[in-house]
Amino acid sequence: DVSGVPFALRGKRPMTIGADPHNRISIQGLGVLPRHAELRPMGNPKRPRVIIRSLDPANPVAVNGLEV
């Protein structure tokens, strides 16, 4: 979710997350870079998956407090 609101991930194109408002998912917060991470949809409609990766190796991505 983004600011407590669920965000549906649709389509097959990668999308960026970060503080810059030009990202598909724009979030603000301490430690959030302008272009922080990329979400890459994988799998198929019956078994969807999303891969997340950092766009800056010096600033890893954490999900629920764990680096990914």
Side-chain angles (χ1 to χ4, degrees):
D1 67 51
V2 177
S3 299
V5 178
F7 187 91
L9 300 176
R10 299 176 201 257
K12 296 184 181 205
R13 293 180 33 194
M15 57 191 82
T16 56
I17 300 172
D20 188 312
H22 292 100
N23 288 297
R24 174 84 186 277
I25 303 172
S26 180
I27 58 174
Q28 304 298 313
L30 195 60
V32 178
L33 300 174
R35 286 182 38 92
H36 197 92
E38 176 184 74
L39 295 174
R40 185 174 292 270
M42 304 292 284
N44 61 55
K46 291 186 180 191
R47 290 193 49 96
R49 296 181 343 173
V50 175
I51 293 175
I52 185 169
R53 72 177 185 94
S54 173
L55 294 175
D56 181 355
N59 292 290
V61 173
V63 176
N64 296 329
L66 300 172
E67 282 187 22
V68 295

